[in-house]
Every structure is written in C-alpha cells, then in structure tokens.
Amino acid sequence: MRKLDLTRRSFLKLTAAAGAVAALSAGATGQALAETDAPAASAAGEVKRVRSCCRACGKNECGVYVYVQNGRAVKVEGDADTAFHSMGNSCSKSQASMQAAYHPDRNYYPMKRTNPKGDADPGWTRITWDEAYSTIAAKFQELKDQYGGECMFFMGGTSRIWTQHAYGGWLQLVGSPNAVTAWQICKGPRHYATQLQSEFAYSWMATTDRPRVFVQWGTATEISNYDESCRATVDIANTADTYISIDPRRTNLNHEADVWAHLTPGTDGALGLAWAQVIIENNLYKDLFVKRWTTAPFLIAPDMEPSGADLESGIAWEPLLPMRTRIVKECDLVEGGNPMRYMVWDELAGTDEAHPLHGNDATGHLTYFDASTGLWEGEPDEVWDQFYENPQPNLPELTVPGRIAEDSPFNPEIDPALYGQFETVLADGKTYTMRPAWDIWVEYLQDFTPEKVADICGLPADAIRDMAMLWATPIDPATGYGNGGIQYGLAPEHACNSIQNNRIFDTLVGITGNWDTPAGNRGPSCGRFSGAEDAQPTIVTGHFADLADAGFHDKILGHEKIPMLSWWQQWADCNAVLDAALEGTPYPIRGGLCEASGILNQANSNKYWEALCALDFFVVQDLWKTPSAGAADLILPVYHWMEVDCPRISQGSTGAQGATCRAVEPPAECRFDIDIVTDVYKAMGVPYADDPVSFGLPEGCVWPTSEQLFDKVVAPMGMTWAEYKEAFQEHGWWDCREIAPETWGTYRRYETGMCSMEYLVTPAGNPMKGMSTPTRKMEIWSPALETYMPEGKYNLPTWEPAPRTAIADPSIVDEWPFLMTTGRRIPVYFHSEHRQLPWCRELWPAPRVEINPADAEKLGISQGDWVWIESPNGKIRQTADIYYGIQPGVINTEHQWWFPELDQADGGLGLSSINCLVDPDLQDPICGSSYLRAYNVKVYKATAENSPFGNPCPCGDDGTPIICDSSDPRLKKWLPTYDEAVRNAK
C-alpha cells in the first residue's frame, strides 16, 4: 500500500490544477486528480468574477472570488482586496468546491425510498417537489395528531445559517422542543457557558486585533478555518510577542511556538484553574473589574436557605426563570426587601446605624448593587462617555482601530471586600456568617497550585507558572488592558467538563482585562444586522409564544437528567432523543428532519444509526446521500454555496460583514433550504410569519421568499437585498467597527450598555450597563447553576477529572492502557464532509491514528499498518501514523470518517468512525455534550486473522475494501460532470 503522505510534487500539481482559471474546458469533463495536467484555457466565453463568502467549511466567512466562464465555476481564489479578516486565504476545501458543485453523486431531485431501511439498495425513486411537500405535510400532521408535535425532532448541521431551521423554524411548525444540533458538542458549550456567566458567545477572540500574547488552547485554526481563516492564524502567531500553544500533540504551527504545553488530554480545566491561582497569587488581576463587574464581591451565606425571585427572561417565548441563591440580597436582610439588590461589604465606609442595611462593624458596612437598575447604591444613572483610541499594534490593513471605553470608577466611591468573613442578622432573626464569592473560590484554588496540577496535567510546575505569568503580565500597561484573550476550541468541551472549562476560560479572560477589549474575547460580530437574523430569520414570530403557553419547554428531552436544559432551552439532549426513539420513554420519538447534519458528530454513532432506522418517517435535505440520508424516507436536493444568495456576518469576533453571492445557477431541481421550509409551512397551512408587518415583511406576506427575508435582514443598511448585493460586489467586505461604531467599534461595552444581547433588546436611549445575566455581572458565582443544580458543586468555576481516565480510576489502564484524544482538524476535510471530492480524498485517503514510536514498537506496529482501536462500547480501524509529536501512552485518532464509495445505506460508518466507541450515557452534567475524547482504549494490530473478510483494510458489507490509496481508480468516478442530460438521467 502506498504511504498516505502525498509527495510535495503531487501537492504542487494539485495547487496548479486548482489555480487554473480555465481548469475545466468547455463542454468536456474536467480532469480533477492531481496527477492530471490542467487543460489549456478555452478562448470561448468571457470570465466573470463574483465576490462571495466561501462556505466550504461551514464555520468561517472567508472572502473569496468565484470565477465563472460559460456559466460554469472554473476557479475559486481568496479576496485579498477587501477581506481583511481572511487575508486572501482560499484553502484546499474552498478550491475543491467546484468538485462538490458538479459532483456526479450530488442529489439533484427529490427522491423517495421504496425498499426497507437498512437495505444496501434503498430503491430511491425520483418524485416531484409537489409530491415531496404533500408527503411531508401529511406525515408530519399524522404523527402530530397521533403522538403530539413533540414526537418529532429536527437535526441541524454545520452553521451555514441557511440550514439552521432546526434551531427554530421546524420546531415551531409542529410544536416540538426537540432540536438535535451539532451545536451541542461544537462551540455550543462555549456559547452556553458564556451566556450563563457573562454574554452569549463571548468565547470568540477578536483575532483581527492581533494579540500581543497569542494563547491557542485546544484548537488549530491554522488548518481548520474555525473562528477565522488559516492565513490569519499564522499571521497572529508571527506578529505576537509571545505564542503559547496548549495542545497534547505537536502541530505544524506550534513547532514555532514560544511555549508548547503538551498537557494530558482532558485536563484543560485543571490547568486553567492553576493559571487562575498564579494570577491571583501574583496580583495580576484587574481589581476594579473584579469588584465592579463580577459577582466576586457578592456575599455568600452558606448556611442560609436559598432565596430569590422569578425573573423575566427578556425573550417573548421563554417563561419566567426562577432564581434561588445563597447570595445575600436585600430581601434576606429586611422584610419586603428587593431580591435584585445584591450585598457586598464596603471596606471604605464607616458605620451608619441609621441605614437599615448597615452592620455594626466600625471598619465597613453593607451596601448593594441593584440588578434591576444596573446601579450601585447611590450611583447616578448617567451615560458613560469617556473613551480613548485603540492603541493596539499590528492591526491588519483595511481595518479601523475603534475606541475603548475608559474604566469607570465607583461613584460614590466604595471598596467591595474580596476576602474576609462578616456576620449579620438576616430577616429571620438569625446571625449568619458571610464570605465574598471570591474568597470561597480562592480557597478552592489552593487545590490547583502549579505543584498540584503538574501531576494532573503532566507538565512541570514551573512551566505552568511561567505560562500564566507570560500571558497575564501586561506587555504595555499603559493601554489599560491585557495582552489578548484566549482562543479556545472544541477539545475542552468533550471530556464531561464542557461548561465548567469554558467558565474557567471566561473568568480568566475577564479578570485579566481581556474581556471585550482589543484582541480579547468579544463575542459575535455586531454589524448593521446582527444576532439570530444575521443571515436569515429562523425564528417565526408568534409561534414560540404559543408553544410556551402549552408547556413547550417542560417537554425538552433530557432535562430530567440534565436540569440546566430547562434554563438553556436551545437544544434537546441528543442521547435522550435517541433513547426516546428506541425505547419510547419518556415519550416516543417517531419522526424527524435533518438539514445538513450527520450522525457521526455526537453520542454513539451505532446507536444514532439504529435510532434513525427505527423512525416512522425521516426526511433529509442535503447535497449528498450521507449516512443520515441512508435512513431517510425522503431526500431533498439543496443548493451548494456557489449557488446561494445570503447575507453574511462574522460568526465570531473577526468583525466582517458581507455576503455569499450566487455565482452559478443551481442545477436540475435543487432548491434553497430557506424556500423548502417556507414551502412546507405552506403545504401544512401554517403561516411562516403570522404577523408579517411586525416581522418586518410586506403586509400579507405570510410565506415569504428568501429574497423577501433578506430584504428584511439588510434593511438597516438602507438597501434592498438586490441593492446590497450590488454594493458588496463594488465595495467588498465592511469592517463592523466602522459601520457599527457604538456596538462593534466600541470596546468595554459593558461600560456603555451596548453589550450584544442588551443592544438587541434596547437599541436606543440609555440601555442598562453590565452583562446580560440576572445579576448584570460576570457570574463567577452562578445563581442559575445554584438554582438548577442545588447540590452546589458547580456554583463556581470548578473541575473534575474525566470519568474514564487513570486520573479518575487508576485501575483502568490494566485493560485499557491508552488515553485517546481525537477530533484534530484535517486540512482537506471539515468534520464528515468532502470524503467524496477527488482532490481532497487523494490528499488524505484514509483515517489515521497517531501513536508514539515507542508504543508502536511494543505493539509490533509499523507505519501505515491498520490497527484496531477498542473501547468497552465497540471497536474500529484506522491506519497507524507513527509520530514523535504525541506522548507515549496517548493516541490521537480521527473523527467522523465514513466511506461514500461503499454501496450501502450507512456509508460504512461502523468501520472507522471513532464515535462508535463513545459511551453515550457519560456526558457533561450541565449541557449534555458527549464524552468524545480523553477516555482510555486499547490498540492492537489488525491482521488477516482478526479482521472481517480476512483483510486488515476495512471492507463494506459485501467485502469491498474502502479507498485507502491516492492511486485508487475509483477516485476518477467522482470527477465532475457538467452535462445536463447526465443529471436528468439520474
């Protein structure tokens, strides 16, 4: 078998083929493989250049140009003219987009199943769109009438915005609370944690500001196009004064790091707490921020009965949210007191016995912060208007600096205590001892000193201390803020500590002056259109309010095991939905629909497949016949990104606003996802917008077209969608700091009342300062977690070892000796996508497991050998990649592999998909994210004797081996087709 590593010669030829404007000659099938020289350019047909936003990876907004000749896309290249955020990047996935758009196996027509689920041949038969819509409408109504709307669930995929109706539109159509989204295990925990603690999605780091100290934690954006583009990440690493990489394995980029921390997989939270301990011990935290903008000084009475109020959520379809906490409030001190007034101990003021809240200690007294007004006791309600210009060095060309709000002082001056014990008599007549939340957390942190964490993380104590000091010590104190935020990725979300790990990161960023500051963690970009409607409205007006009245949120699957889902309300637990499909408890799941999603991303893949096959009715809309589609009753064909019109704004903090613009016409009978969902609403007789005018649509427009929805989205720009597209072609990408100076062009928006969530609720006047939490503070002590998980172990940012590791259970290594991490990015793939694109599959034909040479030698494994990887839940095969960049005793596997070349319904998902090893019942206790990495397994060589069909290489059900060699002739069957007659014959 040929080595899996492609030669430099082949890669350069691939690049040349991808870069030729006329790589696809008119009227003939293009030669797609790297070995094939590009044909000469055709003289016929003018080449048109369309500015757009690439969606080949689904997670970024790289600015690109699509070149079109004779109506056909012939080249994709980066927009280096205006795309300041992606800097002209165009990765291999982007350049291979032509092979996806013109792929012979693409879905072109609605299809229905005629053979039983599980058959190798589903018997797909072409039907009309009218038949597809009427079938969906009839089956959805039948299931709703028989079981209730909650018997259906809806799957959403890789954040392409136009395929996000599983987060809103589909749920509301049938009255179901059960969204099953990749969001639950893919950046969703970060968004969940920061909404819980500070502001929604403030996990994103403002990379276009170029941090002075670049901390890359559990992510590799230089190859993944996640949060920003490849080239931008390399530029950040090169311009930073210090580059710190925290990753169990060596990567191409962290070879250049000033500090590489190869921590033990799954111990991210412990290392983060060690950083916090070092920062606090060395007084490197911003005292004013901690006291003024966090719950750190709020007084906790551990022996007090929790008390509080039911709070308005601020969102029309959500019910009142309860809050019961041991934070001392005015209502705990005096009968009839305000439950939104949180008490602190002011160390500056003397005793004022006339004040009903003040104690008798001569060195201070109680005062309060009023979350209902956003003001401290006696503080005037004034607009903060003190700013200075952003002095951040190394800003990329084409960006504007923006302005920074000055730190506001306490007025009147107070000094909330962070340490100490204070006694007071509460309204029940009893005396209680109170402590600031900070004091309690600092005491907890003594179990996470560098010396104690060294054994947990496998890093020297001095190295832990030095990293924390490097990051937290300001290089230029005159700026008034820190060295930059933390770019943290998926890895910390997958070892049963998702929410707490992300709370630790959010706290670190906040207390060091890197929260909503230049190069800090800022959250989703705010342009001239923002929030859930940044590309198209998935929320249908009116319907959610009706569902809330019907007890909608009490039915979310999984909330009994994971109580915080009742607070979060954004997804049902995937594993609980699978249980309901297989076992019918607590109620049956009988139907569903999937938009651009898959079954390889969470829970256990084999269980997921079994559950989909058990459904009475399942619909998939996608480009391909994926493993999800293998369980479908209907398949609906959709647009490729080069065929789509859609407004775009940076999901993260890169601050770019633009558009995806149609470059080529959609083929055959493919339709836009947005129009599909609206058409199904119409087929069921349900208005998509029951009050169009208040929804920003023309009167009577109850089933809007995508263009009408986009008119609504871009209306704040003073344009129609058609005008906006034209302006984008001429102007290019807009810097949100320039076009939205009050929201994105201003840093420290908590000082001005312009944090993202609050701005959307109160876009004018004097919105309340602070964060969008019940306390209006960064909640280092979380009232929500205290309310829903009253055992108290998650009130503060804490950490516990992942359950199936030697840290939690030392005996586990006796049978399962290797600690496994997984999920690393592959440059040519995005999660499960692109395995059928010849350019991509040629470069990376088969899944690999990285193993240290010493471990490989002990096991008799050589480079390229197929090996078994086994857990108590299953076993799969991948090829050995012997690599010094992984520590002995640790392996790194690849995720979401399936094999489009196999002629079977499940796409061979059980052969190499690492999630077949997952224990579905082990999850993060707060959000339910799956236990996807940092668990122990065994590894052994695959041989003819221990392999099905006597072949170590994985084979399909009929014995057909997978493609695992770049010279496999089957790759040529996936060369693009441009002939309409060929598509019509499918």
Side-chain angles (χ1 to χ4, degrees):
M1 185 178 71
R2 178 184 296 183
K3 281 183 63 178
L4 298 180
D5 300 89
L6 193 73
T7 65
R8 178 172 176 80
R9 180 190 62 81
S10 297
F11 178 80
L12 292 174
K13 279 198 167 187
L14 168 62
T15 307
V21 170
L24 308 174
S25 61
T29 299
Q31 300 301 303
L33 299 183
E35 293 92 339
T36 307
D37 291 329
S42 168
E46 179 185 357
V47 175
K48 178 178 70 171
R49 189 178 76 168
V50 179
R51 175 176 277 131
S52 192
C53 169
C54 179
R55 302 301 293 158
C57 76
K59 293 292 184 188
N60 195 36
E61 290 78 33
C62 282
V64 295
Y65 292 117
V66 180
Y67 290 84
V68 180
Q69 187 178 35
N70 298 326
R72 181 192 311 158
V74 294
K75 178 187 177 184
V76 180
E77 74 173 6
D79 176 0
D81 300 320
T82 70
F84 59 90
H85 54 301
S86 53
M87 303 177 66
N89 183 73
S90 181
C91 73
S92 54
K93 297 179 287 294
S94 180
Q95 294 181 41
S97 291
M98 295 176 293
Q99 294 192 328
Y102 301 110
H103 200 285
D105 288 346
R106 183 177 167 184
N107 295 327
Y108 289 111
Y109 304 97
M111 311 285 278
K112 71 175 181 181
R113 172 185 295 277
T114 59
N115 290 334
K117 292 183 182 181
D119 278 12
D121 177 15
W124 295 118
T125 300
R126 179 175 165 182
I127 60 175
T128 66
W129 274 103
D130 286 344
E131 184 179 352
Y133 289 147
S134 63
T135 300
I136 295 169
K139 292 297 292 185
F140 277 11
Q141 192 64 53
E142 176 187 327
L143 292 172
K144 184 177 180 180
D145 291 344
Q146 185 171 357
Y147 301 103
E150 65 270 17
C151 81
M152 284 175 270
F153 76 101
F154 298 92
M155 294 168 59
T158 57
S159 190
R160 281 177 173 73
I161 301 302
W162 55 83
T163 61
Q164 286 199 331
H165 301 93
Y167 299 78
W170 289 117
L171 301 176
Q172 298 160 79
L173 173 63
V174 301
S176 172
N178 294 318
V180 173
T181 67
W183 197 26
Q184 187 176 3
I185 47 87
C186 182
K187 83 174 181 281
R190 275 167 277 166
H191 298 173
Y192 185 135
T194 51
Q195 180 166 326
L196 177 68
Q197 176 157 300
S198 53
E199 285 285 352
F200 175 76
Y202 269 50
S203 52
W204 303 111
M205 190 176 80
T207 53
T208 48
D209 292 341
R210 298 301 187 263
R212 300 294 298 271
V213 176
F214 177 36
V215 177
Q216 192 181 39
W217 197 314
T219 186
T221 55
E222 67 275 11
I223 61 169
S224 71
N225 277 28
Y226 195 76
D227 303 6
E228 68 282 299
S229 74
C230 313
R231 181 176 174 184
T233 300
V234 175
D235 191 67
I236 295 166
N238 286 334
T239 57
D241 293 62
T242 304
Y243 167 31
I244 299 172
S245 171
I246 299 171
D247 195 314
R249 59 183 295 276
R250 269 292 188 194
T251 68
N252 289 339
L253 186 61
N254 75 20
H255 273 286
E256 305 300 320
D258 298 284
V259 179
W260 170 43
H262 49 79
L263 79 170
T264 300
T267 63
D268 305 85
L271 182 60
L273 291 173
W275 278 31
Q277 195 277 333
V278 171
I279 288 164
I280 293 169
E281 182 183 64
N282 290 277
N283 293 314
L284 292 174
Y285 61 91
K286 284 183 67 72
D287 185 73
L288 181 61
F289 181 89
V290 170
K291 292 177 176 178
R292 185 154 166 72
W293 298 108
T294 80
T295 58
F298 287 9
L299 293 170
I300 312 299
D303 297 329
M304 181 182 80
E305 282 297 313
S307 66
D310 290 343
L311 306 178
E312 295 283 352
S313 67
I315 302 176
W317 58 84
E318 291 185 357
L320 289 171
L321 299 174
M323 187 179 71
R324 303 290 181 265
T325 176
R326 290 180 175 83
I327 300 175
V328 180
K329 302 164 291 299
E330 187 182 65
C331 65
D332 300 313
L333 289 164
V334 295
E335 200 70 39
N338 188 339
M340 299 301 290
R341 288 182 174 175
Y342 300 96
M343 312 309 297
V344 304
W345 190 264
D346 178 11
E347 295 191 304
L348 286 185
T351 303
D352 179 2
E353 296 182 1
H355 196 299
L357 303 182
H358 294 175
N360 297 316
D361 191 322
T363 61
H365 68 200
L366 289 168
T367 186
Y368 62 78
F369 171 76
D370 190 339
S372 62
T373 63
L375 302 171
W376 291 86
E377 182 181 14
E379 184 177 13
D381 187 7
E382 297 176 344
V383 176
W384 186 246
D385 59 357
Q386 303 297 310
F387 303 94
Y388 61 100
E389 290 190 8
N390 176 10
Q392 189 74 1
N394 302 320
L395 291 176
E397 294 182 7
L398 309 176
T399 61
V400 298
R403 62 179 186 170
I404 305 170
E406 295 273 8
D407 288 314
S408 63
F410 284 104
N411 180 22
E413 187 178 4
I414 63 170
D415 186 18
L418 293 177
Y419 299 92
Q421 296 188 12
F422 311 96
E423 288 191 350
T424 193
V425 178
L426 299 187
D428 63 5
K430 299 178 182 178
T431 299
Y432 291 86
T433 299
M434 307 174 295
R435 295 175 66 189
W438 184 261
D439 194 23
I440 299 172
W441 193 49
V442 170
E443 181 180 52
Y444 172 78
L445 291 177
Q446 300 319 299
D447 287 333
F448 292 90
T449 62
E451 287 72 22
K452 293 179 180 179
V453 169
D455 290 337
I456 297 172
C457 296
L459 298 171
D462 288 345
I464 295 172
R465 184 173 287 103
D466 290 347
M467 279 190 291
M469 297 288 288
L470 272 171
W471 176 64
T473 304
I475 291 173
D476 182 2
T479 64
Y481 54 86
N483 295 325
I486 299 175
Q487 186 187 64
Y488 50 105
L490 270 73
E493 299 180 349
H494 292 165
C496 297
N497 287 293
S498 302
I499 299 303
Q500 290 297 81
N501 283 350
N502 289 322
R503 287 185 68 205
I504 291 167
F505 296 141
D506 193 47
T507 304
L508 286 171
V509 166
I511 68 175
T512 54
N514 291 297
W515 199 88
D516 199 28
T517 52
N521 293 73
R522 301 201 67 204
S525 299
C526 294
R528 292 293 294 278
F529 48 86
S530 301
E533 297 178 2
D534 63 357
Q536 65 91 18
T538 59
I539 304 303
V540 183
T541 55
H543 295 301
F544 259 139
D546 296 339
L547 295 171
D549 292 340
F552 175 79
H553 296 297
D554 293 335
K555 298 177 181 177
I556 293 176
L557 285 170
H559 75 89
E560 297 92 347
K561 177 181 177 182
I562 306 162
M564 281 295 293
L565 292 183
S566 297
W567 169 87
W568 175 237
Q569 302 175 359
Q570 299 295 312
W571 58 61
D573 174 44
C574 175
N575 193 51
V577 170
L578 303 184
D579 286 337
L582 293 169
E583 302 167 9
T585 56
Y587 55 79
I589 287 290
R590 301 311 318 148
L593 181 143
C594 171
E595 280 190 341
S597 189
I599 63 178
L600 305 178
N601 57 35
Q602 60 183 315
N604 181 282
S605 299
N606 291 321
K607 180 179 180 179
Y608 216 142
W609 170 252
E610 184 183 358
L612 292 190
C613 290
L615 299 174
D616 296 336
F617 185 66
F618 186 55
V619 182
V620 169
Q621 51 191 74
D622 210 328
L623 290 167
W624 317 102
K625 293 180 180 66
T626 63
S628 298
D633 297 281
L634 290 182
I635 294 177
L636 307 179
V638 296
Y639 290 176
H640 182 266
W641 72 263
M642 291 194 295
E643 300 153 7
V644 160
D645 273 336
C646 189
R648 287 301 306 172
I649 193 169
S650 296
Q651 297 176 78
S653 299
T654 47
Q657 180 180 304
T660 300
C661 293
R662 175 178 291 179
V664 295
E665 291 301 309
E669 294 185 9
C670 296
R671 290 194 178 176
F672 199 3
D673 303 83
I674 294 174
D675 293 322
I676 292 172
V677 70
T678 308
D679 288 345
V680 174
Y681 265 76
K682 190 172 185 178
M684 293 189 71
V686 178
Y688 187 84
D690 53 0
D691 185 1
V693 175
S694 66
F695 196 44
L697 293 167
E699 186 173 354
C701 184
V702 295
W703 292 298
T705 65
S706 54
E707 184 167 356
Q708 288 171 318
L709 287 171
F710 295 156
D711 282 341
K712 163 188 161 52
V713 171
V714 303
M717 292 287 287
M719 305 176 189
T720 65
W721 171 233
E723 292 167 339
Y724 180 89
K725 284 193 299 180
E726 184 176 349
F728 176 64
Q729 292 302 315
E730 181 177 349
H731 177 276
W733 291 84
W734 287 274
D735 185 341
C736 293
R737 283 177 290 197
E738 183 174 21
I739 63 175
E742 289 192 333
T743 53
W744 197 247
T746 298
Y747 297 87
R748 293 197 185 114
R749 287 164 291 172
Y750 51 88
E751 295 277 11
T752 67
M754 287 293 178
C755 279
S756 58
M757 295 295 288
E758 288 309 301
Y759 176 71
L760 294 175
V761 174
T762 312
N766 182 18
M768 207 182 300
K769 291 179 279 189
M771 288 80 167
S772 301
T773 59
T775 64
R776 316 254 353 132
K777 304 298 182 187
M778 176 178 282
E779 293 186 342
I780 296 174
W781 181 285
S782 171
L785 283 167
E786 189 179 8
T787 297
Y788 286 91
M789 308 189 81
E791 69 272 21
K793 63 192 297 186
Y794 306 114
N795 296 345
L796 292 160
T798 58
W799 178 83
E800 293 180 327
R804 287 192 50 80
T805 62
I807 301 173
D809 176 13
S811 68
I812 198 169
V813 297
D814 296 340
E815 185 174 0
W816 313 98
F818 286 94
L819 178 60
M820 183 181 71
T821 187
T822 187
R824 65 143 170 185
R825 296 300 171 256
I826 303 173
V828 297
Y829 299 131
F830 183 74
H831 297 307
S832 65
E833 298 182 55
H834 311 318
R835 299 304 194 286
Q836 63 277 84
L837 302 188
W839 280 349
C840 296
R841 191 65 179 278
E842 181 189 27
L843 285 165
W844 208 286
R848 310 178 191 181
V849 51
E850 292 177 338
I851 186 169
N852 187 274
D855 290 328
E857 183 177 7
K858 291 177 185 176
L859 296 171
I861 293 171
S862 300
Q863 176 71 18
D865 283 347
W866 285 97
V867 300
W868 289 101
I869 308 161
E870 184 175 348
S871 81
N873 301 287
K875 61 181 184 178
I876 56 96
R877 278 169 287 176
Q878 297 191 0
T879 58
D881 193 0
I882 298 175
Y883 185 45
Y884 282 101
I886 197 82
Q887 298 299 301
V890 177
I891 62 168
N892 174 54
T893 63
E894 294 179 356
H895 67 304
Q896 297 202 26
W897 270 90
W898 64 289
F899 302 102
E901 63 268 25
L902 297 181
D903 189 16
Q904 58 191 68
D906 67 0
L909 68 89
L911 299 174
S912 295
S913 175
I914 204 66
N915 283 7
C916 293
L917 310 189
V918 166
D919 184 336
D921 296 317
L922 292 176
Q923 300 171 269
D924 178 82
I926 301 174
C927 75
S929 60
S930 298
Y931 188 9
L932 299 180
R933 64 179 95 195
Y935 56 90
N936 276 56
V937 297
K938 65 176 66 171
V939 178
Y940 51 98
K941 186 174 179 178
T943 66
E945 291 73 29
N946 66 19
S947 301
F949 303 101
N951 188 356
C953 175
C955 299
D957 293 343
D958 60 0
T960 301
I962 64 164
I963 294 173
C964 60
D965 189 312
S966 59
S967 65
D968 195 305
R970 287 176 289 178
L971 289 171
K972 295 184 183 293
K973 295 181 179 180
W974 287 334
L975 293 173
T977 180
Y978 310 104
D979 192 335
E980 187 71 24
V982 173
R983 290 195 289 267
N984 287 334
K986 288 177 65 69

